[in-house]
Amino acid sequence: MKVLVIEDSERLQRSLLHGLKSSGFAVDVVGDGEEGLSYARHGVYDVIVLDLMLPKLDGLDVLKRLRASGCGTHVLILSAKDQVEERVEGLHLGADDYLTKPFAFEELVARIRALVRRKFDAKDPVHRVGAVKVDTARRAVARGTEEIPLTPQEYAVLEYLAARRGRVVSKSELLDHLYAGDGAATENAVEVLVHQLRKKLHHGATELIQTRRGHGYLID
């Protein structure tokens, strides 16, 4: 899943970039409100993590402009402002969640994952695809009682396709959500990951992840 972090603290930028990538997210990080608004309008993100006290354009203005433009991406406000009135204002302006600084990183990740589930109208953190279960809370995959060890990127491919079950996902879309900001990555890397994933899932894997030639991949 792909997250946009709009945060001006360089220390927190580095921490969030490292932590979220380690948690399996593709991440873009920007440091001011104007750049953040541009990224949010022109990119495709599952969740936006938004600080309020930003240079050039403050977070609430970013939020108002996003919602006025019709952007429906879930927004989690991450701010040192902890007064009830400020939290209520952010939620009234269209934020989906609000977390105050300082915060526990594990809670941030849990809230982001909850927003992703809400995006796909899924209360259950487990995707069931045939005999395969994809547990998004534990980042674990199993067939029956047998757990299937996957690399972080193999898991990311499977989770992304399972969340979009019934929709063809192009290689370029997978590439963008797996390797945000890495210009060296190519669609061939996506093909290799899907090939490795099919081998590990083995029984019935070719039916689980279908190829639509010229279009992309599909879990139906």
Side-chain angles (χ1 to χ4, degrees):
M1 303 299 169
K2 192 173 182 183
V3 176
L4 172 63
V5 175
I6 309 175
E7 165 63 54
D8 66 325
S9 165
E10 293 184 2
R11 179 191 61 80
L12 191 51
Q13 283 180 5
R14 291 191 296 270
S15 175
L16 291 175
L17 180 63
H18 173 75
L20 290 173
K21 280 190 171 182
S22 297
S23 298
F25 295 99
V27 188
D28 284 333
V29 178
V30 296
D32 66 69
E34 286 185 357
E35 189 176 21
L37 182 61
S38 178
Y39 267 67
R41 281 176 169 170
H42 297 103
V44 179
Y45 298 95
D46 295 290
V47 175
I48 297 170
V49 177
L50 176 65
D51 187 21
L52 291 186
M53 294 183 287
L54 295 167
K56 297 186 180 179
L57 190 66
D58 72 62
L60 289 181
D61 280 333
V62 171
L63 181 58
K64 283 189 285 188
R65 295 187 190 191
L66 280 178
R67 294 307 187 226
S69 69
C71 175
T73 304
H74 287 316
V75 174
L76 187 156
I77 290 177
L78 188 63
S79 176
K81 294 183 176 182
D82 60 356
Q83 298 300 310
V84 172
E85 295 82 1
E86 291 160 340
R87 296 200 299 272
V88 168
E89 183 181 11
L91 293 170
H92 278 328
L93 289 174
D96 299 277
D97 201 355
Y98 197 115
L99 185 61
T100 57
K101 302 175 184 177
F103 59 91
F105 181 75
E106 294 80 4
E107 181 179 2
L108 173 65
V109 170
R111 287 173 180 262
I112 290 174
R113 293 198 183 283
L115 290 177
V116 171
R117 290 198 300 273
R118 190 188 303 176
K119 173 181 178 179
F120 295 103
D121 196 23
K123 300 289 186 184
D124 191 343
V126 178
H127 296 293
R128 292 171 175 82
V129 186
V132 174
K133 294 188 296 184
V134 184
D135 188 332
T136 62
R138 294 176 52 240
R139 292 181 56 76
V141 177
R143 180 185 296 279
T145 59
E146 176 193 0
E147 191 153 312
I148 302 170
L150 301 179
T151 67
Q153 287 181 322
E154 289 167 354
Y155 171 83
V157 170
L158 183 58
E159 181 187 34
Y160 195 85
L161 292 173
R164 291 154 178 80
R165 188 171 182 174
R167 179 167 78 80
V168 176
V169 177
S170 69
K171 293 177 187 177
S172 61
E173 182 178 339
L174 278 170
L175 184 67
D176 184 46
H177 279 72
L178 288 169
Y179 301 98
D182 184 358
T186 66
E187 291 185 4
N188 183 62
V190 174
E191 294 173 2
V192 171
L193 282 172
V194 171
H195 174 71
Q196 293 171 343
L197 187 55
R198 282 172 167 158
K199 287 177 63 177
K200 289 187 176 182
L201 294 174
H202 48 87
H203 303 297
T206 54
E207 296 179 4
L208 181 66
I209 303 176
Q210 302 172 29
T211 299
R212 294 289 187 266
R213 295 197 179 279
H215 298 283
Y217 301 105
L218 166 72
I219 288 181
D220 206 353

